[in-house]
Amino acid sequence: MKCHVCGAGMQEMKTDLPFKINERSIIVVRDVPVIQCSGCREYMLSDEVMERLDELLAGVNSNADLEIVRFAA
Ligand SMILES: [Zn+2]
């Protein structure tokens, strides 16, 4: 698979991704499986991972400014 931005090779890896869920709160999800470009910062998420993230973010009930959760429950 090639990056649609720069054309470099993409590889599967795990990374930490921040999601802003409302005006005040940011959730950082650790160890998310992504397909990342080796040439730039572009990455892709599989449908499966997107669904899991949706569930995960919907399940977080926090008023904290910053919450950190692991992707693998
Ligand atoms: Zn790229």
Side-chain angles (χ1 to χ4, degrees):
M1 188 183 294
K2 297 244 186 267
C3 176
H4 67 96
V5 176
C6 73
M10 310 276 290
Q11 60 186 6
E12 288 182 32
M13 56 177 289
K14 289 189 174 175
T15 192
D16 301 340
L17 295 178
F19 296 91
K20 191 173 181 190
I21 56 166
N22 61 41
E23 280 307 307
R24 292 183 51 86
S25 301
I26 291 175
I27 296 182
V28 175
V29 185
R30 288 213 190 280
D31 298 332
V32 182
V34 297
I35 304 166
Q36 186 156 35
C37 176
S38 57
C40 67
R41 300 288 294 169
E42 190 69 14
Y43 64 83
M44 291 172 42
L45 299 171
S46 69
D47 290 346
E48 200 178 318
V49 170
M50 293 279 254
E51 278 177 28
R52 175 76 185 113
L53 279 173
D54 277 350
E55 283 176 21
L56 205 63
L57 296 177
V60 174
N61 185 12
S62 173
N63 291 318
D65 289 353
L66 179 68
E67 178 91 12
I68 296 173
V69 296
R70 289 201 166 273
F71 182 79

